[in-house]
Amino acid sequence: MDKRLLSNRVKVMPESATLQMAQMARDLKAQGKDVINMSLGEPDFDTPEDIKDAAKKALDEGYTKYTPVPGLPMLREAIVAKLKRDNNLDYNINQIVVTNGAKQAIANVCLTMLDPGDEVVLFAPYWVSYDSIIKIADGVPVVVYAGIDQDFKVNAEQLRNAITNKTKLVLFSSPSNPTGSMYSKAELAELADVLKDYPDVYIISDEIYEYINFDKGHQSIASFDFLKDRVIIVNGMSKGFAMTGWRLGYMAANETIAKSCIKIQGQFTSAANSISQVAAAYALNHGIYPEMTKKFKERRDVFIKLLKDIPGFKVNEPHGAFYLFPDISYYFGKSNDVDTITDSVSFAEILLKDAMVATVPGTPFGAPDCVRFSYATSIEIIEEAGIRVKNCLKNFR
Ligand SMILES: Cc1ncc(COP(=O)(O)O)c(C=O)c1O
């Protein structure tokens, strides 16, 4: 093959680990194997009926054309109202950009703000795509790792130590994918206090799991007045409204950043899907669908108990999202008669092969001691998965 066929940009980019595991699980399923797929990052619920009805109505009303790049005014207004209602944050519609999923919002911001060599402080464990998006935008990820002993949350000292004169952005999610951890107001205040000293550093606050939080209440780092202008809130419909396929996200930022993101998006993809936008406006005006969150919490409780019962697993108690991210490093170096677990990747491969449970290894999340289980599935399946994992690992000594 011609050496010059592909760009270096794509050559150095890893395949999405989550999609890879999902594909392996699908392949095994196609062979008739009884695979439990806990690798996916999406709610198992269908989109609520009333949101679907809003989309059907949008079609009938002729929302079938290009919309303005930053989104339909009615949706941008609904987002402004949501940010006021849920987060007590004041924005105007010129600060809102509707995107093709939250993923595009993050890409917009990185492409808009990063020059080659600019550093992005990335809290690890991190969502797999952050690292690649930063690199596509010629940025340099500076990873700050917080392990299970600190509930996977970066502290003020770690943040301060990571900032250099090349730092342009800080990027994290709360609630977090892959850990489910959530920063409290006090924890965010400590981080904000550090950022007070670095007025040229901006923050991407990925709040896509905002509505899937169980008891502590979601907090945004944009709620600190002195920082708000430097925070880019990223959010979307995929998780809280079970709308992954609708590809609808949004961002809220100062007008200079928002305007530049609209410019970038206008050249890449134009506006998000018109029908999804009308449905999203309806959903955001309606607000949270608490039934889904209640179910996720029940499942979390069941699954934590099961995983805690497996020898060697260290499990934290996440307050949001729908993942457990146990530290499984106890098994590194252990063998059954056939295989040896050497790292999180071989751990996940063996679970898939022997227990028929698909997970995602922690390595691509920047956490090589861990593995991610998604519990966006029924309690019966969660219980079956717990049994299978425990039985499989019993043989490793
Ligand atoms: C932390 C985080 N941010 C963003 C996204 C992307 O969401 P969207 O479907 O809106 O592009 C995901 C999806 O898995 C995610 O986990």
Side-chain angles (χ1 to χ4, degrees), residues 234-256:
V234 170
N235 207 328
M237 310 307 290
S238 286
K239 316 292 174 171
F241 296 94
M243 292 174 71
T244 47
W246 298 64
R247 308 310 304 130
L248 211 290
Y250 60 90
M251 48 174 283
N254 76 43
E255 282 194 37
T256 310

mmCIF file of all heavy atoms in Angstrom, residues 234-256:
data_model
loop_
_atom_site.group_PDB
_atom_site.id
_atom_site.type_symbol
_atom_site.label_atom_id
_atom_site.label_comp_id
_atom_site.label_asym_id
_atom_site.label_seq_id
_atom_site.Cartn_x
_atom_site.Cartn_y
_atom_site.Cartn_z
ATOM 1 N N VAL A 234 -20.381 21.440 28.150
ATOM 2 C CA VAL A 234 -20.803 20.539 27.080
ATOM 3 C C VAL A 234 -21.878 19.621 27.660
ATOM 4 O O VAL A 234 -21.730 19.095 28.771
ATOM 5 C CB VAL A 234 -19.602 19.712 26.574
ATOM 6 C CG1 VAL A 234 -20.058 18.603 25.639
ATOM 7 C CG2 VAL A 234 -18.588 20.612 25.877
ATOM 8 N N ASN A 235 -22.951 19.470 26.921
ATOM 9 C CA ASN A 235 -24.026 18.602 27.398
ATOM 10 C C ASN A 235 -24.757 18.066 26.172
ATOM 11 O O ASN A 235 -24.384 18.383 25.036
ATOM 12 C CB ASN A 235 -24.958 19.405 28.327
ATOM 13 C CG ASN A 235 -25.662 18.524 29.347
ATOM 14 O OD1 ASN A 235 -25.967 17.357 29.066
ATOM 15 N ND2 ASN A 235 -25.933 19.069 30.515
ATOM 16 N N GLY A 236 -25.784 17.262 26.383
ATOM 17 C CA GLY A 236 -26.488 16.720 25.227
ATOM 18 C C GLY A 236 -27.606 15.787 25.627
ATOM 19 O O GLY A 236 -27.861 15.577 26.816
ATOM 20 N N MET A 237 -28.241 15.243 24.617
ATOM 21 C CA MET A 237 -29.465 14.463 24.833
ATOM 22 C C MET A 237 -29.201 12.967 24.969
ATOM 23 O O MET A 237 -30.085 12.209 25.362
ATOM 24 C CB MET A 237 -30.419 14.679 23.651
ATOM 25 C CG MET A 237 -30.661 16.125 23.281
ATOM 26 S SD MET A 237 -31.183 17.127 24.670
ATOM 27 C CE MET A 237 -32.823 16.471 24.946
ATOM 28 N N SER A 238 -27.983 12.515 24.626
ATOM 29 C CA SER A 238 -27.749 11.075 24.476
ATOM 30 C C SER A 238 -28.043 10.265 25.728
ATOM 31 O O SER A 238 -28.691 9.218 25.657
ATOM 32 C CB SER A 238 -26.293 10.826 24.072
ATOM 33 O OG SER A 238 -26.098 11.171 22.728
ATOM 34 N N LYS A 239 -27.559 10.729 26.865
ATOM 35 C CA LYS A 239 -27.598 9.867 28.056
ATOM 36 C C LYS A 239 -28.868 10.095 28.874
ATOM 37 O O LYS A 239 -29.623 9.176 29.119
ATOM 38 C CB LYS A 239 -26.357 10.087 28.915
ATOM 39 C CG LYS A 239 -25.043 10.162 28.131
ATOM 40 C CD LYS A 239 -24.633 8.852 27.490
ATOM 41 C CE LYS A 239 -23.393 9.058 26.622
ATOM 42 N NZ LYS A 239 -22.782 7.848 26.127
ATOM 43 N N GLY A 240 -29.095 11.334 29.312
ATOM 44 C CA GLY A 240 -30.224 11.615 30.201
ATOM 45 C C GLY A 240 -31.584 11.382 29.564
ATOM 46 O O GLY A 240 -32.570 11.142 30.264
ATOM 47 N N PHE A 241 -31.653 11.470 28.244
ATOM 48 C CA PHE A 241 -32.944 11.299 27.576
ATOM 49 C C PHE A 241 -32.963 10.038 26.697
ATOM 50 O O PHE A 241 -33.900 9.861 25.910
ATOM 51 C CB PHE A 241 -33.244 12.523 26.707
ATOM 52 C CG PHE A 241 -33.396 13.802 27.493
ATOM 53 C CD1 PHE A 241 -32.322 14.654 27.675
ATOM 54 C CD2 PHE A 241 -34.612 14.144 28.078
ATOM 55 C CE1 PHE A 241 -32.447 15.838 28.397
ATOM 56 C CE2 PHE A 241 -34.753 15.318 28.805
ATOM 57 C CZ PHE A 241 -33.670 16.166 28.974
ATOM 58 N N ALA A 242 -31.949 9.201 26.826
ATOM 59 C CA ALA A 242 -31.856 7.972 26.018
ATOM 60 C C ALA A 242 -32.031 8.292 24.526
ATOM 61 O O ALA A 242 -32.874 7.735 23.834
ATOM 62 C CB ALA A 242 -32.889 6.941 26.483
ATOM 63 N N MET A 243 -31.230 9.213 24.045
ATOM 64 C CA MET A 243 -31.358 9.668 22.648
ATOM 65 C C MET A 243 -30.016 9.575 21.912
ATOM 66 O O MET A 243 -29.669 10.469 21.120
ATOM 67 C CB MET A 243 -31.882 11.120 22.629
ATOM 68 C CG MET A 243 -33.315 11.252 23.104
ATOM 69 S SD MET A 243 -33.865 12.988 23.239
ATOM 70 C CE MET A 243 -33.975 13.479 21.516
ATOM 71 N N THR A 244 -29.282 8.503 22.131
ATOM 72 C CA THR A 244 -27.944 8.410 21.529
ATOM 73 C C THR A 244 -27.967 8.514 20.002
ATOM 74 O O THR A 244 -27.085 9.118 19.404
ATOM 75 C CB THR A 244 -27.246 7.091 21.933
ATOM 76 O OG1 THR A 244 -28.181 6.030 21.744
ATOM 77 C CG2 THR A 244 -26.773 7.108 23.360
ATOM 78 N N GLY A 245 -28.977 7.906 19.394
ATOM 79 C CA GLY A 245 -29.014 7.876 17.925
ATOM 80 C C GLY A 245 -29.477 9.178 17.289
ATOM 81 O O GLY A 245 -29.371 9.341 16.077
ATOM 82 N N TRP A 246 -29.969 10.096 18.105
ATOM 83 C CA TRP A 246 -30.530 11.335 17.552
ATOM 84 C C TRP A 246 -29.428 12.352 17.242
ATOM 85 O O TRP A 246 -29.659 13.324 16.525
ATOM 86 C CB TRP A 246 -31.507 11.964 18.547
ATOM 87 C CG TRP A 246 -32.680 11.121 18.871
ATOM 88 C CD1 TRP A 246 -32.676 9.905 19.500
ATOM 89 C CD2 TRP A 246 -34.058 11.412 18.604
ATOM 90 N NE1 TRP A 246 -33.949 9.439 19.643
ATOM 91 C CE2 TRP A 246 -34.821 10.349 19.102
ATOM 92 C CE3 TRP A 246 -34.708 12.499 18.014
ATOM 93 C CZ2 TRP A 246 -36.203 10.317 19.011
ATOM 94 C CZ3 TRP A 246 -36.083 12.472 17.931
ATOM 95 C CH2 TRP A 246 -36.824 11.393 18.409
ATOM 96 N N ARG A 247 -28.259 12.128 17.812
ATOM 97 C CA ARG A 247 -27.066 12.953 17.586
ATOM 98 C C ARG A 247 -27.332 14.430 17.865
ATOM 99 O O ARG A 247 -27.296 15.273 16.968
ATOM 100 C CB ARG A 247 -26.500 12.746 16.161
ATOM 101 C CG ARG A 247 -26.251 11.328 15.749
ATOM 102 C CD ARG A 247 -25.454 10.517 16.763
ATOM 103 N NE ARG A 247 -24.184 11.100 17.096
ATOM 104 C CZ ARG A 247 -23.775 11.277 18.363
ATOM 105 N NH1 ARG A 247 -24.532 10.928 19.399
ATOM 106 N NH2 ARG A 247 -22.606 11.810 18.606
ATOM 107 N N LEU A 248 -27.571 14.701 19.115
ATOM 108 C CA LEU A 248 -27.893 16.079 19.477
ATOM 109 C C LEU A 248 -27.171 16.449 20.771
ATOM 110 O O LEU A 248 -27.434 15.846 21.817
ATOM 111 C CB LEU A 248 -29.417 16.186 19.640
ATOM 112 C CG LEU A 248 -30.108 17.515 19.310
ATOM 113 C CD1 LEU A 248 -29.794 18.606 20.314
ATOM 114 C CD2 LEU A 248 -29.749 18.015 17.906
ATOM 115 N N GLY A 249 -26.270 17.392 20.645
ATOM 116 C CA GLY A 249 -25.572 17.893 21.824
ATOM 117 C C GLY A 249 -25.597 19.410 21.807
ATOM 118 O O GLY A 249 -26.170 20.032 20.905
ATOM 119 N N TYR A 250 -24.982 19.996 22.811
ATOM 120 C CA TYR A 250 -24.889 21.459 22.800
ATOM 121 C C TYR A 250 -23.754 21.923 23.695
ATOM 122 O O TYR A 250 -23.230 21.158 24.518
ATOM 123 C CB TYR A 250 -26.211 22.115 23.228
ATOM 124 C CG TYR A 250 -26.719 21.770 24.609
ATOM 125 C CD1 TYR A 250 -26.359 22.516 25.725
ATOM 126 C CD2 TYR A 250 -27.584 20.702 24.793
ATOM 127 C CE1 TYR A 250 -26.848 22.209 26.989
ATOM 128 C CE2 TYR A 250 -28.079 20.384 26.052
ATOM 129 C CZ TYR A 250 -27.708 21.135 27.154
ATOM 130 O OH TYR A 250 -28.181 20.830 28.392
ATOM 131 N N MET A 251 -23.384 23.170 23.505
ATOM 132 C CA MET A 251 -22.364 23.775 24.360
ATOM 133 C C MET A 251 -22.790 25.196 24.725
ATOM 134 O O MET A 251 -23.563 25.833 23.994
ATOM 135 C CB MET A 251 -21.016 23.791 23.650
ATOM 136 C CG MET A 251 -21.055 24.317 22.240
ATOM 137 S SD MET A 251 -19.425 24.484 21.509
ATOM 138 C CE MET A 251 -18.882 25.990 22.310
ATOM 139 N N ALA A 252 -22.286 25.646 25.863
ATOM 140 C CA ALA A 252 -22.537 27.019 26.307
ATOM 141 C C ALA A 252 -21.183 27.610 26.658
ATOM 142 O O ALA A 252 -20.409 27.001 27.413
ATOM 143 C CB ALA A 252 -23.454 27.030 27.528
ATOM 144 N N ALA A 253 -20.898 28.771 26.087
ATOM 145 C CA ALA A 253 -19.560 29.356 26.289
ATOM 146 C C ALA A 253 -19.642 30.867 26.133
ATOM 147 O O ALA A 253 -20.705 31.400 25.793
ATOM 148 C CB ALA A 253 -18.601 28.797 25.236
ATOM 149 N N ASN A 254 -18.523 31.541 26.354
ATOM 150 C CA ASN A 254 -18.557 32.984 26.103
ATOM 151 C C ASN A 254 -18.749 33.218 24.594
ATOM 152 O O ASN A 254 -18.498 32.330 23.779
ATOM 153 C CB ASN A 254 -17.332 33.700 26.693
ATOM 154 C CG ASN A 254 -16.074 33.492 25.891
ATOM 155 O OD1 ASN A 254 -16.097 33.551 24.660
ATOM 156 N ND2 ASN A 254 -14.971 33.239 26.566
ATOM 157 N N GLU A 255 -19.192 34.406 24.245
ATOM 158 C CA GLU A 255 -19.632 34.623 22.854
ATOM 159 C C GLU A 255 -18.503 34.485 21.838
ATOM 160 O O GLU A 255 -18.726 34.041 20.718
ATOM 161 C CB GLU A 255 -20.313 35.987 22.717
ATOM 162 C CG GLU A 255 -21.729 35.947 23.257
ATOM 163 C CD GLU A 255 -22.567 37.158 22.859
ATOM 164 O OE1 GLU A 255 -22.417 37.639 21.720
ATOM 165 O OE2 GLU A 255 -23.357 37.620 23.702
ATOM 166 N N THR A 256 -17.291 34.839 22.236
ATOM 167 C CA THR A 256 -16.164 34.727 21.290
ATOM 168 C C THR A 256 -15.932 33.260 20.920
ATOM 169 O O THR A 256 -15.769 32.907 19.746
ATOM 170 C CB THR A 256 -14.877 35.304 21.938
ATOM 171 O OG1 THR A 256 -15.182 36.585 22.455
ATOM 172 C CG2 THR A 256 -13.746 35.384 20.950
#
